[in-house]
Amino acid sequence: MANTSTTHERQHTPELAQQQQGSTGAMIIIGALFFIFGFVTWLNSLLIPYLEIACELTKFQSFFVTFAFYIAYLVMTPISPRVLGVFGFKKGMSVALVVMAVGALLFIPAAMTRIYLLFLIGLFLLGCGLAILQTASNPYITIVGPAESAAKRISIMGICNKVAGAVAPIILGLFLSLEGADTLRAEVAGMEAGARAAALDEMALEVIPPYIGIIIVLLALSIWIYRSSLPEIDTDEEDETSAAATTGKKSVFEIPHVMLGVLTLFLYVGVEVMAGDSIISYGAEQGIPLTTAKFFTSGTMAAMVIGYLIGIVTIPKYIKQEDALKICAILGVAFTIGAIMTTGYVSVAFIALLGLANSLMWPAIWPLALAGVGRFTKAASSLLVMGIAGGAIIPLAYGALADSWNAQDAYWIMVPCYLFIWFYATKGHKVGRKV
């Protein structure tokens, strides 16, 4: 019996090693993608106040930056699965990166003409490419290992994402004359029309060099993934438990915890985008210069990385995914109220701390929403990606409230969002499921 066991081990050890190597390679590639997600996404935090000055926008109009970027996730909901169905996961990712490169390319004529609509179309195409990438990569990380440690793997990806998000506005700030932007903000109303137009044109042109760099990186990454050995995954397969749970279900819309998960993700992305993308603009409203405020998004991202590290250590060994979500939701309410009740750097610090509150929400919501959906994994994943459109709607609503009330009181919109997330962590993820 001992000899047979040893022979069996020898036969399967190379196969096991090959599988582990494949999983590690997949994690590296997906990690690179998550870095790109973060870098491109959190550039918007500096673009919002910068384009507000360069294109002479109201606060509400400036938040169309986030609207154009995140509404793409909603538009791409029926398209992303078809793209992945036609090209497969690997080639689909490569195609998505090319779409993003085209979006970044539009920033060149947009900056030359200072036409805000062109910037928004470019941001929309960047969002379209990201929607396809998100549809492919998130279930990939969820499925590539044990379900109970999915939040840990997504946390690792989140660190890649947020480290990129932390450096993105700082790197973009190196190419932009932020001191001149602050001066122009204060003086533009009193300038003669010709001088104002010339100054704003010069300001807009500074956006071109960094986006040329982004185009090059996106195309290089597209080629790398196309030529990689990234394995395909079959999300149509399901185990006996998942098959039993979905028996009689004809559509993903008949699975309540998925639908509630989509709404929860919608609200979560909305508050996360607000915390990251509004903080620089909010700091400027508090009288802090852009040269200093450009670092604030990095503070939010740093807080998220700390949260991800906590998740990697504690989930699932010490804390369950749903309990982590409950704690984060409660912190979100507390930090939001703290930001509203204080002023200056202290208030900004509370907005940055929302990064900690938001950190484990994405890693927890995905596995909770995808639990037991079996053959509906692709459809459920696509709907969850649609929920990312919360980043389009909720910050835009914040911008409207900021114009009507003020930038600080407008943060009250976040409190009911966090309360619903707490509900999903407590009861919502169990609705319609035999847990």
Side-chain angles (χ1 to χ4, degrees):
M1 181 67 71
N3 291 339
T4 305
S5 178
T6 304
T7 304
H8 183 77
E9 256 183 31
R10 286 173 181 168
Q11 287 174 342
H12 288 273
T13 298
E15 183 181 344
L16 179 62
Q18 188 175 7
Q19 290 175 348
Q20 290 174 340
Q21 186 178 5
S23 295
T24 301
M27 288 282 284
I28 292 171
I29 292 172
I30 302 300
L33 288 175
F34 269 77
F35 188 90
I36 292 297
F37 297 166
F39 193 91
V40 173
T41 298
W42 298 109
L43 285 176
N44 294 342
S45 62
L46 190 53
L47 274 180
I48 290 170
Y50 198 80
L51 293 181
E52 182 182 341
I53 300 169
C55 296
E56 301 179 279
L57 309 172
T58 65
K59 189 71 66 181
F60 174 69
Q61 289 170 335
S62 70
F63 274 91
F64 272 95
V65 165
T66 58
F67 180 84
F69 189 85
Y70 288 99
I71 202 64
Y73 288 92
L74 179 62
V75 174
M76 291 298 291
T77 298
I79 300 173
S80 296
R82 295 179 184 177
V83 171
L84 296 178
V86 171
F87 293 100
F89 276 70
K90 185 176 79 169
K91 291 181 181 177
M93 290 177 183
S94 186
V95 169
L97 287 162
V98 173
V99 172
M100 291 176 66
V102 173
L105 185 64
L106 280 180
F107 270 62
I108 297 174
M112 288 178 172
T113 57
R114 206 158 45 87
I115 296 176
Y116 188 45
L117 181 59
L118 278 178
F119 281 113
L120 295 182
I121 294 172
L123 287 162
F124 176 77
L125 288 175
L126 283 165
C128 286
L130 279 174
I132 299 171
L133 289 174
Q134 293 274 23
T135 303
S137 61
N138 282 289
Y140 212 117
I141 292 302
T142 301
I143 293 167
V144 79
E148 62 272 13
S149 60
K152 178 183 290 190
R153 292 192 300 279
I154 298 177
S155 291
I156 294 171
M157 295 300 102
I159 290 174
C160 297
N161 184 280
K162 303 317 171 192
V163 167
V167 301
I170 296 174
I171 292 175
L172 181 60
L174 296 176
F175 291 89
L176 308 179
S177 177
L178 298 181
E179 288 183 8
D182 278 324
T183 302
L184 199 54
R185 180 198 292 271
E187 299 176 353
V188 69
M191 295 175 68
E192 186 268 333
R196 182 175 71 247
L200 294 174
D201 287 344
E202 184 178 351
M203 181 180 174
L205 288 173
E206 293 177 353
V207 173
I208 294 177
Y211 275 85
I212 290 176
I214 289 171
I215 293 167
I216 294 170
V217 170
L218 289 171
L219 292 177
L221 187 55
S222 174
I223 295 169
W224 177 42
I225 290 177
Y226 185 82
R227 294 182 175 179
S228 74
S229 58
L230 187 69
E232 285 291 339
I233 57 172
D234 185 3
T235 57
D236 293 327
E237 290 186 353
E238 57 183 345
D239 57 27
E240 292 180 6
T241 303
S242 297
T246 58
T247 298
K249 299 287 194 303
K250 297 180 179 179
S251 166
V252 70
F253 294 103
E254 297 177 25
I255 307 176
H257 80 276
V258 173
M259 295 298 97
L260 289 171
V262 172
L263 179 56
T264 303
L265 199 79
F266 178 92
L267 297 174
Y268 150 68
V269 175
V271 294
E272 184 194 40
V273 171
M274 279 182 60
D277 278 358
S278 71
I279 191 170
I280 294 177
S281 178
Y282 177 62
E285 290 290 322
Q286 292 285 310
I288 301 168
L290 282 176
T291 49
T292 301
K294 72 179 181 181
F295 295 103
F296 291 163
T297 296
S298 302
T300 308
M301 298 299 105
M304 293 195 81
V305 169
I306 291 171
Y308 280 127
L309 290 172
I310 292 171
I312 290 170
V313 172
T314 60
I315 298 174
K317 186 175 182 180
Y318 301 107
I319 186 172
K320 293 189 292 185
Q321 293 170 156
E322 54 266 39
D323 290 334
L325 190 57
K326 292 176 195 175
I327 294 168
C328 287
I330 293 168
L331 287 176
V333 173
F335 292 152
T336 300
I337 294 174
I340 295 169
M341 297 302 177
T342 57
T343 58
Y345 282 97
V346 175
S347 181
V348 170
F350 274 115
I351 298 298
L353 281 172
L354 285 172
L356 179 63
N358 296 332
S359 60
L360 297 181
M361 290 186 177
W362 179 277
I365 293 169
W366 271 88
L368 289 176
L370 291 178
V373 299
R375 66 183 182 278
F376 296 112
T377 297
K378 277 184 180 177
S381 174
S382 182
L383 287 176
L384 285 166
V385 170
M386 180 182 72
I388 297 174
I393 306 300
I394 294 176
L396 193 63
Y398 165 82
L401 289 175
D403 280 336
S404 299
W405 303 346
N406 60 68
Q408 188 169 29
D409 289 339
Y411 280 119
W412 277 113
I413 195 176
M414 303 176 84
V415 172
C417 297
Y418 283 120
L419 290 176
F420 188 90
I421 293 168
W422 176 84
F423 161 76
Y424 187 73
T426 306
K427 295 183 178 180
H429 74 281
K430 301 175 184 177
V431 176
R433 287 182 61 208
K434 293 179 182 180
V435 182

